């Protein structure tokens, strides 16, 4: 059995840049992996099926354990690519909440691809793994290697950024989720302008004051707006909704300050305080 961590991500920017021929939106987004993680293990089985099992975790309840889970799709895509009819068992300990914008399901799938690549001695490079990942979901290619990167197209065009995030990340989540399709529908319905914040972040030595999320503008949820303002009022340098939400993060220089702010805001639960994670940490097996 092989095991690895599947790290969450936050979006420092999320610009919607157009509509592709297939009807999906194109994006430009600066993403950063952080030290919140699910735990994934894989092993071959003798029944010739892809089987998923819950390994517990704070957010295991309601997690699908069938074809609806991105891990199942990732395993199927990988096994088809190498021409194997083997069965594999995948165990998932779920510490990343769903419908939060943290990429938990996508990171689980990306981790399954890395683990199966090792389990089968397939020796597929990261570029090839990202191509397989693109068949699974939009954030999966980035999460194959993580770190800090600009992600474009449907998320499959990855440009690493050496000047990654520093400091500490406070995560807080309102007690509701936001579906990604609904967030994009609201963006289209409101006819909002396309964003251009990612270029500024890529070319800057500091992210301060440059964070932006077009889906946050589309959702325009008053609870999320209040939470962002409160996190900054209490000491964060910046705050933003990540992905399509509903999780909101604040950026801090010091862990103790981030933890204190999390305790002060009693209206919503704190997921925790985390650190940025590099590509080298993500890809360790």
């Amino acid at each position: 059995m092989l095991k690895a961590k599947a790290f969450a991500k936050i979006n420092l920017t999320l610009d919607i840049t157009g509509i592709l021929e297939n009807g999906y939106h194109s994006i430009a987004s600066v993403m950063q992996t952080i030290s919140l993680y699910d735990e994934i293990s894989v092993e071959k089985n003798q029944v010739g099926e892809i089987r998923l099992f819950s390994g517990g975790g704070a957010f295991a309840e309601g997690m699908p354990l069938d074809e609806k889970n991105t891990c199942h799709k990732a395993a199927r895509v990988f096994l088809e690519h190498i021409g194997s009819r083997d069965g594999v068992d995948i165990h998932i300990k779920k510490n990343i909440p769903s419908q939060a914008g943290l990429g938990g399901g996508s990171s689980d799938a990306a981790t399954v691809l890395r683990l199966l690549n090792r389990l089968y001695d397939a020796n597929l490079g990261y570029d090839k793994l990202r191509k397989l990942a693109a068949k699974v979901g939009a954030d999966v290619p980035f999460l194959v290697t993580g770190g800090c990167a600009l992600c474009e197209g449907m998320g499959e065009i990855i440009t690493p950024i050496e000047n990654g995030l520093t400091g500490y990340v406070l995560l807080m989540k309102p007690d509701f989720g936001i579906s990604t399709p609904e967030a994009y529908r609201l963006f289209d319905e409101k006819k909002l302008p396309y964003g251009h914040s990612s270029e500024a972040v890529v070319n800057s030595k500091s992210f301060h004051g440059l964070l932006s999320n077009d889906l946050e503008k589309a959702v325009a949820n008053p609870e999320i707006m209040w939470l962002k303002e409160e996190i900054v009022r209490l000491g964060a340098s910046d705050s933003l909704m990540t992905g399509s939400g509903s999780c909101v993060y604040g950026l801090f220089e010091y862990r103790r300050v981030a933890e204190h702010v999390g305790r002060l805001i009693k209206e919503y639960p704190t997921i925790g305080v985390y650190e940025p994670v590099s590509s080298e940490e993500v890809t360790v097996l």
Side-chain angles (χ1 to χ4, degrees):
M1 178 183 288
L2 294 179
K3 301 179 181 180
K5 297 175 180 178
F7 291 99
K9 61 82 180 171
I10 57 173
N11 297 80
L12 301 177
T13 64
L14 203 172
D15 300 327
I16 298 175
T17 58
I19 303 290
L20 300 169
E21 291 183 1
N22 59 11
Y24 286 94
H25 295 81
S26 61
I27 65 164
S29 178
V30 176
M31 301 188 199
Q32 171 74 59
T33 42
I34 58 173
S35 57
L36 170 63
Y37 60 86
D38 290 342
E39 297 174 56
I40 307 294
S41 62
V42 302
E43 61 183 338
K44 298 178 184 179
N45 65 42
Q46 302 300 316
V47 298
E49 298 176 1
I50 299 170
R51 302 188 302 187
L52 272 57
F53 300 90
S54 173
F59 298 99
E61 185 176 354
M63 176 177 62
L65 296 173
D66 55 16
E67 293 85 353
K68 295 177 183 178
N69 193 301
T70 53
C71 289
H72 190 287
K73 186 173 183 180
R76 177 174 54 78
V77 166
F78 181 88
L79 292 171
E80 287 177 353
H81 176 76
I82 65 171
S84 173
R85 295 186 178 182
D86 283 354
V88 294
D89 288 344
I90 302 169
H91 298 260
I92 308 165
K93 185 175 182 180
K94 198 68 186 162
N95 304 312
I96 304 172
S98 60
Q99 288 199 336
L102 294 168
S106 296
S107 189
D108 294 348
T111 304
V112 165
L113 290 173
R114 292 199 309 272
L115 285 171
L116 291 178
N117 191 39
R118 173 70 67 84
L119 185 67
Y120 281 87
D121 293 321
N123 296 316
L124 303 181
Y126 290 129
D127 287 343
K128 185 58 186 179
L129 286 179
R130 288 193 195 99
K131 289 180 180 179
L132 296 180
K135 299 179 180 180
V136 182
D139 290 340
V140 186
F142 162 68
L143 288 160
V144 166
T145 51
C148 188
L150 172 65
C151 306
E152 298 176 281
M154 287 181 61
E156 80 283 8
I157 305 170
I158 313 294
T159 306
I161 297 174
E162 293 185 9
N163 180 31
L165 188 66
T166 59
Y168 298 91
V169 181
L170 168 67
L171 296 182
M172 304 194 74
K173 186 182 182 300
D175 56 0
F176 58 85
I178 298 173
S179 77
T180 301
E182 174 67 7
Y184 278 99
R185 185 192 66 79
L186 287 170
F187 182 88
D188 292 339
E189 185 179 273
K190 294 180 179 181
K191 299 181 179 179
L192 296 174
Y194 295 143
H196 302 282
S197 58
S198 296
E199 182 178 358
V201 167
V202 169
N203 293 323
S204 174
K205 294 183 179 180
S206 169
F207 301 141
H208 180 60
L210 299 176
L211 307 188
S212 179
N213 183 343
D214 285 352
L215 293 183
E216 177 190 281
K217 298 168 188 174
V219 171
N221 182 281
E223 293 186 54
I224 289 173
M225 296 301 107
W226 178 87
L227 181 55
K228 278 185 55 186
E229 293 170 3
E230 191 71 355
I231 289 173
V232 170
R233 185 183 73 81
L234 291 171
S237 61
D238 294 274
S239 183
L240 195 71
M241 183 184 87
T242 181
S244 57
S246 60
C247 189
V248 172
Y249 66 85
L251 301 182
F252 295 83
E253 184 176 0
Y254 301 106
R255 176 183 285 276
R256 67 178 184 275
V257 178
E259 291 173 343
H260 182 61
V261 171
R263 289 192 294 268
L264 287 176
I265 302 175
K266 303 182 185 302
E267 288 83 355
Y268 300 107
T270 298
I271 299 173
V273 175
Y274 304 94
E275 299 177 51
V277 168
S278 69
S279 293
E280 289 76 16
E281 294 171 278
V282 170
T283 54
V284 167
L285 292 181

